[in-house]
């Protein structure tokens, strides 16, 4: 049994190299291609495989479990969005960097409200938190959900907000931009999350993100 995790991250050449194996399978040999997004696999791969979907554990089940275990509501809600099972959720809320990542993101948004340079603030945050490539994805994931909370605040949709203890800061950020601008910032973050799976200049990528976040509604300047 061969298991290829994150099969969608293979480039076209790597996927094509599997075709002969998939077309002419040997007895008692199986290949499992694991992916979060099957559409990213080549059509020739998908046509030669059988799709077996798995449903994730409902987020509300994860959230309630963590709250019953005594974890903070915001951490329980965040973990319920970023993990798919109870073991992974408990491991996430016990990560030693979790609180510092949240504090670092809040300091970035506070700098935005204060009119400070986000590039300089990012350099400070990255140095203080000692963010390494191994957990850069975790940082951007939390940043994405913080940005979503800003958008929910802009829409007065408070029941969806995860970081309820930062509602004043979320509203302050929301007041600086139009909803379209906030959504554009979120899309920039989502694009960066995808790029982090490839070889990129992360310093330049995050500088570009910080410059995008600094843009405000002209009427607010």
């Amino acid at each position: 049994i061969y298991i290829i995790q994150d099969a969608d991250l293979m480039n076209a050449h790597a996927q094509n190299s599997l075709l002969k194996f998939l077309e002419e399978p040997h007895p008692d040999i199986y290949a499992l291609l694991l992916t979060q997004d099957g559409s990213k696999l080549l059509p020739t791969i998908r046509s030669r495989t059988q799709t077996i979907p798995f449903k994730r554990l409902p987020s509300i089940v994860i959230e309630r479990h963590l709250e019953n275990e005594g974890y903070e509501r915001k951490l329980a809600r965040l973990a319920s969005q970023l993990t798919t099972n109870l073991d992974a959720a408990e491991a996430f809320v016990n990560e030693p960097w979790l609180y510092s990542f949240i504090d670092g993101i809040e300091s970035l948004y506070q700098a935005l409200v204060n009119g400070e340079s986000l590039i300089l603030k990012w350099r400070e945050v990255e140095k203080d938190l000692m963010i390494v490539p191994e957990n850069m994805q975790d940082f951007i994931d939390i940043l994405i959900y913080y940005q979503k909370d800003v958008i929910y605040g802009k829409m007065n949709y408070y029941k969806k907000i995860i970081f309820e203890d930062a509602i004043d800061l979320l509203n302050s950020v929301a007041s600086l931009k139009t909803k379209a601008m906030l959504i554009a910032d979120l899309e920039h973050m989502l694009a960066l999350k995808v790029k982090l799976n490839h070889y990129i200049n992360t310093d330049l990528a995050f500088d570009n993100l910080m410059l995008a976040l600094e843009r405000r509604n002209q009427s607010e300047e």
Side-chain angles (χ1 to χ4, degrees):
I1 299 176
Y2 294 87
I3 300 176
I4 302 177
Q5 192 162 351
D6 297 322
D8 54 286
L9 299 183
M10 291 189 294
N11 59 31
H13 177 74
Q15 292 189 45
N16 281 324
S17 69
L18 288 176
L19 285 178
K20 185 175 182 180
F21 169 70
L22 296 174
E23 289 171 341
E24 302 175 4
H26 295 279
D28 300 323
I29 296 180
Y30 301 89
L32 305 180
L33 310 183
L34 308 184
T35 175
Q36 296 286 341
D37 187 356
S39 66
K40 293 181 180 178
L41 295 173
L42 294 176
T44 48
I45 294 289
R46 298 200 303 271
S47 67
R48 290 164 174 77
T49 56
Q50 178 183 357
T51 300
I52 304 176
F54 292 90
K55 294 183 179 179
R56 59 172 288 162
L57 192 66
S59 59
I60 190 63
V61 173
I62 297 175
E63 180 182 336
R64 288 174 177 170
H65 169 77
L66 292 176
E67 286 193 90
N68 290 337
E69 290 294 313
Y71 293 101
E72 281 188 61
R73 175 178 168 84
K74 70 178 180 181
L75 299 187
R77 299 193 74 176
L78 181 62
S80 74
Q81 299 301 311
L82 292 176
T83 60
T84 58
N85 62 70
L86 300 181
D87 289 340
E90 289 201 24
F92 177 79
V93 294
N94 284 297
E95 288 287 0
W97 42 255
L98 182 55
Y99 274 105
S100 60
F101 277 18
I102 294 173
D103 290 343
I105 289 169
E106 290 185 352
S107 70
L108 285 172
Y109 279 83
Q110 188 62 62
L112 174 61
V113 172
N114 295 342
E116 301 174 37
S117 166
L118 288 191
I119 290 181
L120 294 180
K121 191 65 178 180
W122 165 244
R123 292 279 187 268
E124 178 185 320
V125 167
E126 185 181 26
K127 180 180 178 181
D128 289 345
L129 300 183
M130 294 183 290
I131 302 174
V132 295
E134 288 74 20
N135 55 24
M136 188 68 78
Q137 284 279 6
D138 297 301
F139 184 86
I140 197 71
D141 280 337
I142 299 171
L143 180 62
I144 285 169
Y145 277 94
Y146 209 94
Q147 180 67 16
K148 285 184 177 181
D149 278 3
V150 173
I151 296 171
Y152 288 140
K154 186 75 171 181
M155 300 168 62
N156 296 317
Y157 198 33
Y158 293 104
K159 69 178 183 178
K160 293 284 290 183
I161 286 179
I162 292 175
F163 300 98
E164 298 170 317
D165 56 344
I167 194 67
D168 289 341
L169 177 57
L170 296 172
N171 286 335
S172 294
V173 175
S175 69
L176 299 176
K177 303 189 179 191
T178 64
K179 184 173 71 172
M181 294 174 70
L182 294 172
I183 292 173
D185 290 342
L186 176 61
E187 290 173 343
H188 200 136
M189 295 173 188
L190 292 168
L192 176 54
K193 176 177 169 61
V194 173
K195 291 177 183 177
L196 288 175
N197 290 321
H198 307 283
Y199 293 105
I200 64 168
N201 185 324
T202 55
D203 287 340
L204 181 59
F206 272 91
D207 283 352
N208 287 335
L209 175 60
M210 295 303 126
L211 287 173
L213 291 177
E214 282 186 357
R215 299 189 186 102
R216 304 182 179 211
N217 186 359
Q218 294 297 320
S219 64
E220 298 293 337
E221 297 180 347

